Amino acid sequence: MLADLTIYMPSNRTLEDSREAIESLLAFSQATGCRMVISDNSQDPRKQAAYNGRSANLVYITRDDTDPQENAVSAMSKVATSFVMPMGDDDTIRVLDSAFPIDLSRLPADVVLVRPQTEIWVEKNGIVRTEDFSIELDDPADRMAEYARRTRGNNSVFYSICRSDYYIGLLRQFYARHPTKGGYCDWSITTALIASGKVVYDPAIVYRYNLGRWSNSDTLEIAKESLFAQVGLPPAVQDFYPLLRFIDTYIMLMSRHLPLSELQRDKALSINSTMGLAVFVNAVKGKPERYDETVHHLVDLIVDETELNTVFIIALMLADSIQPGLKDRYIAYYQTVTGAL
């Protein structure tokens, strides 16, 4: 049923902590025929012994390093099917009994993502809600606005089936030259993909998304801080996150791997500015004491500017207020995305 799909899992957890996720993936593959790639940098020999060679549909890779970015690239590099789906090693996946997943070969060309029935799970309470919305609007800007409206504090749509040409093209550029390659960028990745095409819902596939440390206020701020700290960004970056999200989404929307016409891209870039950069401008105006004079000056320029390309250039200049040299690293990323890589 899903022979043209590869689910890839970068895995760092031990055998005990990842067993439920991997066993669910193996069962899902047996039921649907999908391919699997697991790149394991846990350095747990029991885990390798348990799963290496377990299924003819499984490519199992072991790595000596503990770099999460390299582990993700390793897993993704083995995808050779027309559709791909990421999976966390603390999540689970299953197909409902007597149900048949969508035939991927029959998807209309304007459908980019197939989102499963997503169960939001937390350790203390189990499944707290199920998310099943689709986004089938024709206009890219309308889809982006709908995505922003329908999300409820998590980016579960990221764990969806996607056309490999778009997903892998975008992610290959991201891992090649993005200034941080941070985990916080999944929102921008998902936004760019949704701008590129419709999201349809497949109720036959059930994905249980472990909200983990994002599930309560006690650990939420720590989780946010760690995402930035582990890629070398200073604590003050949280005050600039809407700016980074605007820049990341802007650059990703420029990718020539995405099936956007010039008009569609212009609409997507415009709504990204309206929704994303406006949040940062309001933050600076609402809490002026948190930002220095340079930030205030550049934000005033943005407010008065009507040309979107110029707004983007000013936003890049603001990136150096987060960390010196960040602007130039973003320019290198932009050149990669808009070039031939």
Side-chain angles (χ1 to χ4, degrees), residues 1 27-28 31-32 94-101 117 203-206:
M1 289 186 290
F28 183 83
T32 65
R94 70 183 193 274
V95 62
L96 293 179
D97 293 339
S98 302
F100 298 94
Q117 182 180 169
I205 301 174
V206 182

Side-chain angles (χ1 to χ4, degrees), residues 139-140 260-269:
D139 186 82
L260 290 168
S261 68
E262 185 175 352
L263 177 60
Q264 289 173 327
R265 183 173 281 107
D266 287 345
K267 286 185 175 182
L269 291 171

Side-chain angles (χ1 to χ4, degrees), residues 147-167:
Y147 166 57
R149 187 181 73 83
R150 297 297 296 270
T151 53
R152 297 175 60 184
N154 70 80
N155 188 25
S156 67
V157 181
F158 181 77
Y159 296 97
S160 296
I161 297 170
C162 186
R163 294 187 185 273
S164 296
D165 286 348
Y166 310 147
Y167 182 92

Side-chain angles (χ1 to χ4, degrees), residues 202-219:
D202 188 346
I205 301 174
V206 182
Y207 189 92
R208 194 189 76 186
Y209 176 65
N210 185 352
L211 206 55
R213 58 183 181 169
W214 303 97
S215 62
N216 66 76
S217 57
D218 294 336
T219 57

Side-chain angles (χ1 to χ4, degrees), residues 43-282:
Q43 302 178 28
D44 183 346
R46 299 168 304 151
K47 185 175 171 184
Q48 179 181 357
Y51 295 116
N52 195 9
R54 175 78 174 268
S55 168
N57 282 347
L58 172 63
V59 175
Y60 193 90
I61 307 163
T62 56
R63 296 183 60 85
D64 294 331
D65 66 85
T66 57
D67 188 321
Q69 298 160 357
E70 291 300 324
N71 207 31
V73 171
S74 173
M76 194 177 63
S77 69
K78 298 299 181 181
V79 175
T81 50
S82 298
F83 293 87
V84 62
M85 178 179 178
M87 180 174 174
D89 67 350
D90 59 344
D91 298 334
T92 65
I93 190 168
R94 70 183 193 274
V95 62
L96 293 179
D97 293 339
S98 302
F100 298 94
I102 287 174
D103 184 346
L104 299 177
S105 68
R106 296 179 178 272
L107 281 180
D110 61 353
V111 173
V112 168
L113 292 166
V114 179
R115 68 91 36 89
Q117 182 180 169
T118 308
E119 297 174 339
I120 307 300
W121 185 89
V122 296
E123 186 174 2
K124 290 183 178 180
N125 306 105
I127 298 168
V128 294
R129 66 178 181 274
T130 298
E131 297 181 350
D132 57 5
F133 62 84
S134 60
I135 304 176
E136 301 185 55
L137 301 167
D138 291 325
D139 186 82
D142 291 341
R143 287 195 299 271
M144 291 168 67
E146 179 72 357
Y147 166 57
R149 187 181 73 83
R150 297 297 296 270
T151 53
R152 297 175 60 184
N154 70 80
N155 188 25
S156 67
V157 181
F158 181 77
Y159 296 97
S160 296
I161 297 170
C162 186
R163 294 187 185 273
S164 296
D165 286 348
Y166 310 147
Y167 182 92
I168 293 178
L170 195 65
L171 268 291
R172 185 181 291 120
Q173 293 172 332
F174 174 78
Y175 285 119
R177 292 304 293 270
H178 188 275
T180 70
K181 307 177 183 67
Y184 62 88
C185 298
D186 63 334
W187 289 90
S188 292
I189 293 167
T190 305
T191 300
L193 291 171
I194 289 173
S196 302
K198 298 177 181 179
V199 182
V200 298
Y201 168 57
D202 188 346
I205 301 174
V206 182
Y207 189 92
R208 194 189 76 186
Y209 176 65
N210 185 352
L211 206 55
R213 58 183 181 169
W214 303 97
S215 62
N216 66 76
S217 57
D218 294 336
T219 57
L220 181 60
E221 289 305 314
I222 296 174
K224 288 181 180 179
E225 290 173 6
S226 68
L227 279 181
F228 296 118
Q230 68 188 10
V231 293
L233 291 175
V237 71
Q238 291 200 60
D239 290 333
F240 290 85
Y241 173 63
L243 172 71
L244 289 181
R245 188 167 169 182
F246 163 78
I247 294 173
D248 287 331
T249 305
Y250 187 102
I251 296 176
M252 290 177 191
L253 287 169
M254 295 297 292
S255 174
R256 300 306 166 182
H257 289 288
L258 300 181
L260 290 168
S261 68
E262 185 175 352
L263 177 60
Q264 289 173 327
R265 183 173 281 107
D266 287 345
K267 286 185 175 182
L269 291 171
S270 179
I271 194 70
N272 178 51
S273 177
T274 302
M275 294 191 309
L277 198 53
V279 174
F280 177 67
V281 171
N282 290 338

